[in-house]
Amino acid sequence: MVQIGYTMMTEQAGPRDLVDHVVRAEEAGFDFSVTSDHYFPWLRAQGHSPYAWSVLGAAAQATRRIPLMTYVTCPTFRYHPAVVAQKAATVQLLSEGRFRLGLGSGENLNEHVVGGGWPSVEVRHEMLEEAIGIIRALFEGGHVSRHGTHYDVDSARLWDLPDPPTPIGVAVSGERSCALAGRLADLVIATEPKPGLLDSFDRLGGSGKPRVGQLPVCHDADRDTAVRRAHAQFRWFGGGWKVNSELPHPDSFEAATQYVTPDDVAAAIPCGDDPDDFVEAVRPYVEAGFDEVALVQIGGESQPAYLDWSEKTLLPALRNAFG
């Protein structure tokens, strides 16, 4: 059975609302949850970007069952990997083993704020690989000292460690990231249902490991309202990660998507309240081989109605289709 997840999207709701939403998602019966880790929203219309790790700590205490996961944290610019290891271990302890650390090479949108520049994708993957090595070493216990190409670690140690260690996921978008994830990750993360991604992941060392996908949706009893909201807040999504990782500011995304129409968005994102449309949007992920699919309901204020509808209508429809 495919697991269906709920997304705490930090770009579209404040911290207290995010925690309230994941509590309700647990009550509604979602199988797991994920959270984005941003410094900026993609578009000004989204309007939020609280610190994801504080939200995770609060969510760990406010929930009892639902698994938590970063989708995804960049451990290479805003955060030193030694600090990411400490944060992940702490959330794993607070949640009593319900946390997975999702990692990726990041977006300029969030990482430029520390003034370190934005290197080529090849360098970003080098940095991610080195960061994962540091995190895994700290998860093993003991003191860690390293002088690497990109990071120094001076006698670091995690004094509060979960047992077993926090699982690590790596986001993929192409062959290079699939090779990295196949070698170093416990699970793979993707935002597109491309079978080739999972084939590459399996071939490059990931066979048998979990695979988690993510899909934006926009529920509303009035489909036109849903389409308008999806266009206002999520039209950036169609740019693809090669574009989305490079743009530095919400205004850049405004300019890059100025010619995207509501019809363009509605063709790519299920909108309205027909559960069959949502089931068919999930189907490509299932057919591609994803074990878990996290849904992103667009619009912070729309979450309560979406969660009620999910409990009564959407989750039963998805489980009937893919159970």
Side-chain angles (χ1 to χ4, degrees):
M1 180 173 175
V2 175
Q3 302 292 294
I4 303 299
Y6 175 78
T7 299
M8 291 185 283
M9 193 171 187
T10 60
E11 302 95 296
Q12 65 180 18
R16 295 183 67 89
D17 285 338
L18 289 165
V19 175
D20 288 344
H21 296 159
V22 76
V23 168
R24 179 68 184 99
E26 180 177 68
E27 294 171 350
F30 279 88
D31 299 307
F32 69 101
S33 69
V34 302
T35 184
S36 56
D37 184 356
H38 270 233
Y39 201 91
F40 275 88
W42 297 98
L43 296 169
R44 290 179 180 271
Q46 292 176 313
H48 294 275
S49 201
Y51 183 54
W53 290 88
S54 296
V55 173
L56 282 166
Q61 293 299 286
T63 58
R64 292 292 175 267
R65 173 195 60 81
I66 195 165
L68 306 167
M69 180 179 175
T70 50
Y71 208 101
V72 292
T73 285
C74 177
T76 54
F77 291 93
R78 278 182 295 152
Y79 311 136
H80 190 284
V83 177
V84 172
Q86 184 188 35
K87 294 192 289 190
T90 299
V91 173
Q92 181 73 312
L93 289 167
L94 285 170
S95 64
E96 298 182 298
R98 291 183 284 132
F99 179 66
R100 295 178 292 179
L101 175 63
L103 300 175
S105 57
E107 299 95 14
N108 195 7
L109 176 70
N110 302 301
E111 309 309 323
H112 79 272
V113 297
V114 295
W118 191 239
S120 69
V121 65
E122 291 80 10
V123 172
R124 300 199 304 265
H125 282 131
E126 284 180 9
M127 297 174 74
L128 179 59
E129 181 167 357
E130 189 173 328
I132 292 171
I134 291 167
I135 293 167
R136 285 222 183 266
L138 286 165
F139 282 175
E140 292 172 1
H143 290 271
V144 175
S145 293
R146 295 192 177 187
H147 181 66
T149 303
H150 300 286
Y151 303 104
D152 292 332
V153 182
D154 184 7
S155 192
R157 177 184 173 184
L158 300 183
W159 290 87
D160 292 278
L161 273 173
D163 185 18
T166 307
I168 294 176
V170 171
V172 300
S173 59
E175 189 81 1
R176 188 182 295 109
S177 54
C178 284
L180 193 155
R183 286 187 292 108
L184 301 179
D186 301 307
L187 58 139
V188 69
I189 295 164
T191 57
E192 296 177 280
K194 295 179 178 178
L197 286 178
L198 298 186
D199 293 343
S200 294
F201 176 66
D202 288 346
R203 177 170 47 82
L204 296 167
S207 181
K209 297 177 182 178
R211 57 268 337 263
V212 187
Q214 190 179 53
L215 168 70
V217 301
C218 197
H219 164 265
D220 197 282
D222 181 78
R223 186 175 184 275
D224 290 340
T225 298
V227 171
R228 286 194 298 270
R229 185 168 66 244
H231 178 259
Q233 296 195 25
F234 235 81
R235 64 185 182 274
W236 59 271
F237 188 75
W241 289 108
K242 289 186 178 180
V243 173
N244 292 345
S245 64
E246 300 294 337
L247 299 180
H249 193 274
D251 292 347
S252 306
F253 285 89
E254 297 279 356
T257 60
Q258 61 183 309
Y259 299 115
V260 177
T261 69
D263 287 344
D264 294 332
V265 173
I269 296 172
C271 295
D273 66 350
D274 185 343
D276 291 342
D277 292 341
F278 290 66
V279 168
E280 290 310 307
V282 171
R283 190 176 302 280
Y285 289 83
V286 178
E287 293 176 347
F290 285 88
D291 308 302
E292 307 174 41
V293 181
L295 305 181
V296 187
Q297 164 65 6
I298 299 170
E301 294 181 356
S302 71
Q303 300 300 310
Y306 165 72
L307 288 164
D308 289 346
W309 178 72
S310 294
E311 180 177 21
K312 297 172 184 175
T313 303
L314 179 59
L315 291 176
L318 289 169
R319 287 171 180 144
N320 183 60
F322 307 120

